[in-house]
Amino acid sequence: MNPPAPLLDVAALLSAYADLQPDAGVPAQRVAFGTSGHRGSAFARSFNAWHVRVIVQAICDFRRLHGIDGPLYLGIDTHALSQPAFEDALEVLAGNNVHTCIAAGGGFTPTPAISHAILAHNRGRRSGCADGIVLTPSHNPPESGGLKYNPPHGGPAETAVTGWIEARANGLLAAPAGVRRMPYAQALRGTRTHDFLHSYVEDLGEVIDFDLIRSAGVRMGVDPLGGAGVDYWQPIAERYGLDLQVLSLQVDPQFAFMSRDFDGQIRMDPSSPQVMQGLIARKDEFDIAFACDTDHDRHGIVTPSAGLLPPNHYLAVVVDYLLRARPDWSLSAAIGKAVVSSGLIDRVAHRLRRRVIEVPVGFKWFVDGLLDGRLAVAGEESAGISFQRRSGGVWTTDKDGFAPSLLAAEITARSGCDPGACYRALTGTLGMPHAARISAPATPAQKTQLAALRASQVAAVELAGERVTQVLERAPGNAAPIGGIKVCTANGWFAARPSGTEDLYKIYAESFRDEAHLQALLVQAQSLVDRALASSAALA
């Protein structure tokens, strides 16, 4: 057991953000977009005022280059660095004459509310289109800062876009005179306010059947985990007449109220059993309970019958439920899943005669399919889901923590049992997967090596007693590199890839046989990855 990390010294962090200037010649201090934006720590000179300024200037340059001249929606979460980053971002946006919309009253803004606002503004437009920036490191520890860009399609920016922004920002980091800024007080006077909260809440009934939830009397509990959605849940309950208890309204940049994660760190990860201990302990008080991460784009579902549902379990239930409960959806709409999502989803989709489109990790790969209706549901192993409106059509093109949380109540109301029981019914028919994910420390160089692994470097014909049927370095659904490898057999698979947010690499494994087979998969996967990394390092 790792010792608990000390609580964040907020004053020291804010000083480091303002005072520690990154060195553009040091790779770890440069701008680097992962699976969803640039993230880092001011203490490590990887998320400081200079990073925010150059990234936002690069975004402004990108907007000019591509004729994006509508409003930019700017949102923040509750991390300590989000407010000073907001001030720096606003100075640069104003210095570039970008019309910026912020939350009324300076409130926090969840990621799905930004995506929803972009799509609502751009509907039917060919000019004057909006885009957005969210200042959030997602569920990462309290000392972290982050910035992600959502272009006019409303979802996470695709690789070509983030690559351009990253390169331009790093050029500016070496020559910051190219950043145009306006004093903050003047910049703030030039902003417009947008009612993200009520716009989002009023439209939420287009996605969730609240009449069904209300008539069934479903008792719900929600823990916002001190995140950006903290002020949204009570208006949702009041607008739709729900029996929904908000368990905490506490906001604290130290996140001292959080249960520690597996390694003693504080993370606002609603898929972690350690983080969710408090809500799990209260599971019998509600018919369904849920929590969301700091920017409310991820969910955690707690049921009386099964406690905290692993995200893969719940995603399979969501797919099975929605494809049967949404008769207005197109029968040709497919299911989007990441390469590390459960094979049970494929079995559910096959039974319902729906296609599965398997893509690399990162919600950006689902954006186009959600926008044009080719995807009915899209979800990741990391607890990110979005799905169509009840009548069909796009809802959000980014992950939405609210909608899948509330859908758990709709599932409970219609099924007469919670999603944990629904999952057991699925596995009783389609087979029981045994799954695990392990993480290990990795240097930036090791992460780069792992992302660059090729199938030819994995010399394995057998995995955990079964013949290897596939070694993938590209996703089957779109042929994009998966940033690692996936090795498959008839009854199991493992995938290894670097974390997009922390100095870790992750191994995912799943067995449709038993727990012993799963452990054999993990052991052999670890050995294969270690040998491949060693081989790659020797060649470098």
Side-chain angles (χ1 to χ4, degrees):
M1 174 70 76
N2 293 308
L7 290 177
L8 173 66
D9 184 335
V10 175
L13 180 72
L14 297 179
S15 294
Y17 173 83
D19 298 338
L20 298 182
Q21 184 168 357
D23 184 342
V26 177
Q29 297 179 23
R30 291 166 61 85
V31 173
F33 276 76
T35 51
S36 187
H38 171 80
R39 301 177 187 178
S41 170
F43 293 134
R45 299 180 193 244
S46 55
F47 191 89
N48 303 79
W50 288 266
H51 295 104
V52 175
R53 294 168 189 163
V54 299
I55 294 171
V56 175
Q57 181 63 57
I59 290 170
C60 293
D61 295 343
F62 177 84
R63 295 179 102 242
R64 273 191 293 273
L65 184 65
H66 293 274
I68 303 169
D69 56 1
L72 183 141
Y73 294 103
L74 178 63
I76 66 171
D77 77 358
T78 55
H79 277 79
L81 289 180
S82 295
Q83 180 59 39
F86 169 85
E87 295 174 11
D88 281 306
L90 198 58
E91 289 182 352
V92 177
L93 291 167
N96 286 269
N97 298 312
V98 174
H99 299 293
T100 305
C101 294
I102 63 175
F108 305 114
T109 311
T111 286
I114 293 286
S115 180
H116 178 268
I118 293 169
L119 294 174
H121 177 88
N122 292 344
R123 193 168 292 122
R125 287 181 178 269
R126 294 191 175 182
S127 62
C129 289
D131 54 0
I133 292 173
V134 191
L135 295 162
T136 175
S138 187
H139 62 287
N140 281 22
E143 68 270 17
S144 302
L147 185 157
K148 59 183 179 181
Y149 175 59
N150 288 39
H153 56 51
E158 50 268 54
T159 304
V161 175
T162 57
W164 191 95
I165 292 171
E166 179 182 305
R168 173 63 176 150
N170 281 319
L172 290 166
L173 198 63
V179 176
R180 293 184 288 277
R181 298 163 59 198
M182 180 183 290
Y184 177 67
Q186 184 181 350
L188 187 61
R189 286 196 296 272
T191 62
R192 289 181 283 175
T193 59
H194 181 77
D195 194 346
F196 291 101
L197 191 159
H198 288 98
S199 298
Y200 178 89
V201 171
E202 283 298 314
D203 215 13
L204 198 51
E206 295 295 313
V207 186
I208 303 297
D209 189 343
F210 288 114
D211 291 340
L212 178 62
I213 297 171
R214 186 172 55 252
S215 63
V218 179
R219 296 172 298 119
M220 293 165 278
V222 60
D223 187 346
L225 300 182
V230 66
D231 294 326
Y232 279 59
W233 289 105
Q234 195 58 43
I236 290 171
E238 293 170 359
R239 170 64 180 83
Y240 296 104
L242 305 178
D243 184 356
L244 172 63
Q245 182 179 350
V246 184
L247 302 178
S248 174
L249 295 175
Q250 186 171 5
V251 174
D252 169 17
Q254 290 185 307
F255 291 91
F257 54 85
M258 292 292 301
S259 298
R260 301 304 179 106
D261 206 353
F262 67 95
D263 57 358
Q265 293 288 331
I266 296 175
R267 291 187 186 86
M268 290 57 72
D269 181 358
S271 67
S272 164
Q274 292 82 8
V275 170
M276 294 282 279
Q277 283 178 8
L279 193 55
I280 293 169
R282 301 185 65 175
K283 66 183 179 63
D284 294 326
E285 297 179 30
F286 308 100
D287 297 316
I288 194 75
F290 32 82
C292 292
D293 70 336
T294 324
D295 67 321
H296 269 54
D297 69 349
R298 303 186 192 210
H299 61 274
I301 308 300
V302 175
T303 69
S305 69
L308 177 66
L309 278 185
N312 265 329
H313 294 195
Y314 184 55
L315 180 55
V317 172
V318 166
V319 170
D320 181 66
Y321 174 79
L322 286 175
L323 293 186
R324 292 182 292 105
R326 297 293 188 263
D328 293 333
W329 285 5
S330 168
L331 293 176
S332 65
I335 306 307
K337 66 177 282 251
V339 291
V340 296
S341 296
S342 175
L344 183 62
I345 297 162
D346 300 83
R347 298 184 180 197
V348 168
H350 179 75
R351 183 172 71 170
L352 296 171
R353 300 181 180 179
R354 295 288 185 129
R355 291 184 305 122
V356 172
I357 298 176
E358 187 170 331
V359 299
V361 172
F363 214 78
K364 60 191 173 187
W365 302 107
F366 298 131
V367 170
D368 289 343
L370 288 168
L371 195 60
D372 64 17
R374 284 180 292 121
L375 292 179
V377 185
E380 294 187 302
E381 177 272 347
S382 56
I385 296 178
S386 189
F387 44 87
Q388 293 184 3
R389 293 168 180 262
R390 291 162 63 191
S391 59
V394 63
W395 167 239
T396 62
T397 47
D398 211 328
K399 300 186 289 288
D400 185 338
F402 295 99
S405 295
L406 292 162
L407 184 70
E410 182 186 326
I411 292 170
T412 301
R414 190 181 300 275
S415 306
C417 57
D418 68 46
C422 295
Y423 178 77
R424 286 197 303 276
L426 278 181
T427 58
T429 305
L430 300 177
M432 171 69 78
H434 302 264
R437 180 183 73 184
I438 59 175
S439 300
T443 65
Q446 288 173 323
K447 290 172 64 176
T448 299
Q449 291 164 8
L450 181 56
L453 278 182
R454 296 292 175 260
S456 58
Q457 294 174 255
V458 182
V461 294
E462 176 269 339
L463 179 65
E466 295 187 326
R467 184 175 65 85
V468 170
T469 57
Q470 281 183 306
V471 180
L472 301 173
E473 61 188 57
R474 293 180 175 271
N478 60 359
I482 63 177
I485 53 167
K486 182 176 182 179
V487 182
C488 306
T489 69
N491 291 293
W493 58 268
F494 85 82
R497 56 176 295 274
S499 169
T501 62
E502 298 182 84
D503 288 332
L504 302 169
Y505 74 80
K506 300 178 180 180
I507 294 177
Y508 310 76
E510 182 176 61
S511 167
F512 274 89
R513 285 174 50 184
D514 52 34
E515 191 67 27
H517 185 235
L518 172 65
Q519 294 306 314
L521 285 169
L522 288 168
V523 168
Q524 194 166 347
Q526 184 82 65
S527 176
L528 283 170
V529 170
D530 289 345
R531 288 203 304 271
L533 284 175
S535 172
S536 179
L539 293 173

